[in-house]
Amino acid sequence: MIAPVHSLGPGERVCLWTQGCRKACPGCIAPELWEHTGPQAEEEMLARILRETARRNGCRGLTVSGGDPMEQSDALLRLLRYVREDFSDILVYTGWTLEEVRDGRAGEAGIECLRLIDVLVDGRYDRERNRPDCVLRGSENQKICFLNPALEEEYRSYMARGRILESFTHGDTVIVTGIPDRRMEA
Ligand code: SF4
């Protein structure tokens, strides 16, 4: 979790990365998050930490990336129910398309999550279609789905600025957030 982040959606945001993705897209920027292993966070406690992190950093937005958060849709749904009222804008990334989620590929919980998400960035990453003008997306086949149309204008103004990368230091580690160009792929 990092905050405040400005490179993964408009305004000040708390960003959370979930562990686990089986889609294995060539060139994925986060293969270290593919394994479905590690301790499972308790959602109510995680929600409290997100809320407190948002309060301390003046964040109104939440971005959930991964991994693929929809590959643990039951846990995602519980978390979103806890934090829905705390954030005016919730953006979630998934490697499934919106149509696949609606068809139940992420289970009933995945369908239910769509009611609590404002913006879904969908689809597998295609390294051949990574273009610098794909803001908020890794490749042009991925779609920015405005499930809450009230946020579309704010997102369009934000996206007009182009891709943004930010770096954060955590001890000896430098963490880069945002959508990189293809030459920075894993
Ligand atoms: S869906 Fe996303 S996290 Fe999963 S392999 Fe593809 S790019 Fe990586």
Side-chain angles (χ1 to χ4, degrees):
M1 182 186 310
I2 303 180
V5 172
H6 304 88
S7 51
L8 289 169
E12 279 76 31
R13 313 183 71 85
V14 181
C15 288
L16 174 71
W17 287 266
T18 63
Q19 179 83 34
C21 182
R22 299 186 178 89
K23 298 181 179 68
C25 306
C28 171
I29 193 66
E32 69 278 10
L33 295 178
W34 286 3
E35 294 268 330
H36 276 266
T37 55
Q40 183 80 29
E42 201 276 312
E43 292 84 21
E44 190 170 7
M45 182 190 295
L46 183 54
R48 274 202 299 275
I49 295 169
L50 287 171
R51 209 173 282 133
E52 177 59 20
T53 303
R55 191 192 60 74
R56 274 193 279 107
N57 292 280
C59 299
R60 290 174 45 247
L62 170 67
T63 297
V64 186
S65 186
D68 185 343
M70 282 285 186
E71 288 198 9
Q72 40 184 319
S73 58
D74 290 323
L76 179 64
L77 179 59
R78 287 192 293 274
L79 180 67
L80 292 178
R81 283 177 172 153
Y82 281 122
V83 300
R84 178 60 274 191
E85 296 305 315
D86 300 299
F87 294 95
S88 59
D89 167 9
I90 297 180
L91 164 65
V92 173
Y93 283 84
T94 179
W96 278 304
T97 63
L98 175 60
E99 294 73 24
E100 287 174 321
V101 176
R102 283 187 169 143
D103 284 348
R105 292 290 297 277
E108 284 301 312
I111 297 170
E112 198 59 32
C113 282
L114 297 177
R115 296 175 187 275
L116 300 170
I117 294 169
D118 294 300
V119 179
L120 186 81
V121 180
D122 81 347
R124 291 157 186 77
Y125 173 61
D126 180 348
R127 72 191 320 174
E128 302 307 323
R129 300 176 73 184
N130 181 342
R131 292 184 5 194
D133 57 349
C134 288
V135 181
L136 285 179
R137 301 170 291 157
S139 54
E140 60 185 345
N141 59 297
Q142 297 172 312
K143 301 189 301 298
I144 298 173
C145 309
F146 294 103
L147 305 178
N148 175 3
L151 294 182
E152 182 164 351
E153 195 176 324
E154 184 184 4
Y155 268 75
R156 297 229 177 263
S157 329
Y158 169 82
M159 291 189 292
R161 297 160 55 191
R163 283 181 171 177
I164 301 169
L165 287 176
E166 285 173 285
S167 55
F168 298 84
T169 48
H170 183 71
D172 293 339
T173 309
V174 177
I175 300 165
V176 177
T177 66
I179 306 293
D181 293 340
R182 189 178 166 188
R183 64 191 156 76
M184 291 179 64
E185 283 177 352

